């Protein structure tokens, strides 16, 4: 591979290097490209949403006479009353409508998908056997750990009673389980961040400079 | 003295070391073995078992540009696999960054023979998050009026295969946040659903894999590398895994070094 001759790739490369220069120290190049990025992202987002409003609201209303769309359009416009102190309270109508729709849509599925199905999945046998009745020790240990972990964390968050004696030991175990979980989550965060860095390196050293 | 210095290494030295550890294996791959996870095999086997004559798949592109280095390679690999299997796929985007990224992948596949509108369609972006997911599940054929290229969606041949959500053999959702797997499993409980996740989201999604609400999962860049290996076409994701492994080794080494220095220094200062 050789160095890119595409001017857009050059802008990308210089922009990325300028943004990375922040890890050395704050500088004008970093500031410039930070603003370019924010502006470009806002412009792109605005255009995508403009097309959405045009396709889903304006054209069906004007060209197809779907006058029921006037209701969401009116509610959408009410959101902008926030910019006028005297009428700002009207924006709460639209906000309330959106929150109501959001809660209504998600709560219906939440009970089944995230409560009942999860509780049901946590109800598993301590001992797992195959068709011949032989105990599968690895899966059994896994299940036992899952059950004990779930119960101990639930006990940890039971605040109506001050844990004493054996219950306190259970809460300690629950805390260990949570710490391990946070460790796994943090490990994944590190892994994810390195992936992002590799993506940036691929663009700089591969697409731009042609070294990869 | 040295123990004190080791507890306070200049960040620029750490960054330089990290750059060297990541760049070297990208330029000169080492070939560190990669074990393929069962959740990746689930995605691969699910797609491989489909019938090109009757089945249609959804590859939802809900990943942002910021998370694209982690999730983009997954999308590339799966789209290529579907093209090879000749299984048509719809690509709706529930984040605004999606369509433009998808367009690059489709353009590459079109140069290999993919017929736009017959084998695949970039449906474009629909705003609304979970409500948009619900709208798509309720009416996958007509919720998108025009695709990203400006074609009327209802006129495209691929859309004649889909009338309702149960006509979709598998939904594989590539995501970096909201809307994500929780929105889909709430709104589409009867759909066979898999997820391509940014690495950060993986631990929180595991309970849904255990409960079989998520059937098949690709875990970040590693998931993409595993998928490339299953396809027997190792590409860039596999090459990056060497760098990822060395980067992790460096971080582990630095953590051990910092902690050792801390405890040794503490012991010496007591004396």
């Amino acid at each position: 591979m050789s160095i890119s001759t595409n001017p857009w790739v050059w802008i990308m490369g210089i922009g990325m290097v300028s943004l990375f220069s922040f890890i050395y120290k704050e500088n004008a190049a970093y500031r410039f490209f930070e603003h370019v990025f924010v502006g470009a992202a806002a412009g792109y987002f605005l255009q995508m949403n403009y097309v959405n409003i045009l396709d889903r609201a304006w054209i069906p209303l004007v060209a197809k006479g779907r006058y029921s769309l006037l209701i969401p359009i009116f509610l959408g416009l009410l959101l902008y009353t926030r910019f006028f102190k005297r009428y700002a309270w009207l924006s709460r109508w639209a906000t309330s409508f959106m929150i109501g729709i959001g809660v209504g849509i998600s709560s219906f599925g939440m009970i089944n998908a995230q409560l009942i199905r999860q509780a049901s999945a946590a109800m598993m046998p301590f001992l797992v056997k195959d068709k011949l009745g032989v105990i599968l020790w690895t899966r059994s240990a896994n299940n036992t750990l899952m059950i004990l972990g779930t119960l101990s964390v639930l006990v940890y968050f039971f605040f109506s009673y001050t844990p004493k004696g054996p219950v306190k030991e259970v809460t300690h175990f629950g805390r260990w389980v949570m710490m391990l979980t946070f460790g796994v989550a943090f490990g994944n965060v590190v892994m994810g961040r390195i992936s992002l860095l590799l993506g940036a390196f691929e663009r700089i050293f591969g697409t731009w400079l042609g070294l990869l | 003295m040295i123990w004190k210095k080791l507890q306070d290494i200049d960040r620029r030295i750490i960054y330089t070391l990290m750059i060297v550890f990541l760049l070297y294996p990208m330029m000169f791959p080492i070939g560190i073995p990669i074990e393929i996870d069962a959740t990746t095999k689930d995605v691969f086997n699910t797609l491989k078992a489909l019938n090109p004559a009757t089945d249609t798949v959804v590859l939802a592109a809900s990943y942002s540009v910021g998370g694209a280095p982690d999730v983009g390679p997954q999308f590339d690999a799966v789209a290529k696999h579907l093209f090879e299997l000749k299984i048509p796929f719809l690509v709706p985007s529930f984040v605004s960054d999606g369509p433009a990224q998808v367009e690059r992948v489709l353009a590459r596949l079109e140069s290999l023979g993919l017929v736009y509108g017959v084998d695949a369609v970039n449906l474009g972006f629909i705003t609304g998050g979970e409500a948009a997911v619900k709208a798509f599940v309720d009416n996958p054929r007509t919720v998108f009026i025009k695709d990203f290229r400006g074609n009327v969606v209802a006129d495209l041949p691929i859309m004649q295969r889909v009338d309702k959500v149960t006509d979709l053999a598998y939904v594989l959702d590539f995501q970096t946040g909201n809307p994500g797997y929780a929105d889909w499993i709430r709104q589409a409980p009867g759909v066979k659903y898999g997820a391509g996740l940014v690495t950060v989201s993986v631990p929180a999604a595991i309970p849904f894999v255990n409960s079989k609400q998520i059937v098949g999962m690709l875990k970040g860049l590693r998931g993409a590398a595993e998928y490339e290996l299953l396809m027997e076409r190792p590409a860039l994701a596999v090459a990056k895994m060497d760098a990822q492994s060395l980067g992790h080794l460096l971080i582990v080494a630095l953590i051990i070094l910092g902690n050792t220095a801390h405890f040794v220094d503490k012991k010496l200062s007591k004396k």
Side-chain angles (χ1 to χ4, degrees), chain A residues 135-193:
Chain A
I135 297 171
L136 304 168
W137 288 107
T138 317
R139 282 186 60 190
S140 301
N142 224 353
N143 282 9
T144 307
L145 200 63
M146 287 267 283
I147 294 164
L148 295 180
T150 307
L151 291 177
S152 59
V153 172
L154 285 173
V155 172
Y156 180 87
F157 284 107
F158 189 71
F159 295 127
S160 313
Y161 158 82
T162 312
K164 288 174 201 151
V167 180
K168 199 171 181 179
E169 296 308 314
V170 174
T171 60
H172 278 161
F173 181 68
R175 196 166 65 186
W176 271 99
V177 171
M178 282 190 288
M179 289 300 169
L180 284 168
T181 312
F182 298 150
V184 170
F186 181 68
N188 271 277
V189 170
V190 172
M191 193 170 170
R193 296 298 177 254

Side-chain angles (χ1 to χ4, degrees), chain B residues 48-63:
Chain B
K48 214 176 164 191
L50 297 179
N51 180 358
T54 53
D55 292 330
T56 308
V57 169
V58 164
L59 299 185
S62 298
Y63 59 100

Side-chain angles (χ1 to χ4, degrees), chain A residues 23-24 44-45 52 55-56 105-106 113-114 117-118 121 188 190-191 194-198 202-203 205, chain B residues 11-12 22 66 70 96 104 125 130 143 145 186-187 199 207-208 211 213 236 240 243-244 248 251:
Chain A
I23 60 175
Y24 184 74
Y44 178 79
F45 191 70
N52 248 279
D55 284 348
R56 287 174 203 290
I105 284 176
S106 61
Q114 284 170 282
R117 290 286 302 270
Q118 283 303 301
N188 271 277
V190 172
M191 193 170 170
I194 291 182
S195 297
L196 301 185
L197 189 59
L198 288 170
E202 180 203 333
R203 291 290 168 96
F205 294 98
Chain B
R11 70 177 197 281
R12 282 163 289 203
L22 295 184
D70 215 14
S96 60
R104 284 196 303 191
F125 163 63
E130 186 170 356
V143 72
I145 299 156
R186 278 199 295 266
Q187 299 307 330
T199 317
F208 297 98
S211 64
Q213 288 166 282
L236 207 59
K240 283 183 190 166
Q244 182 121 43
H248 290 178
I251 291 168

Side-chain angles (χ1 to χ4, degrees), chain B residues 3 7 256-269:
Chain B
W3 300 113
Q7 290 175 71
I256 292 171
L257 193 69
N259 278 282
T260 310
H262 170 75
F263 287 113
V264 172
D265 185 45
K266 205 171 158 184
K267 204 173 178 182
L268 289 176
S269 37

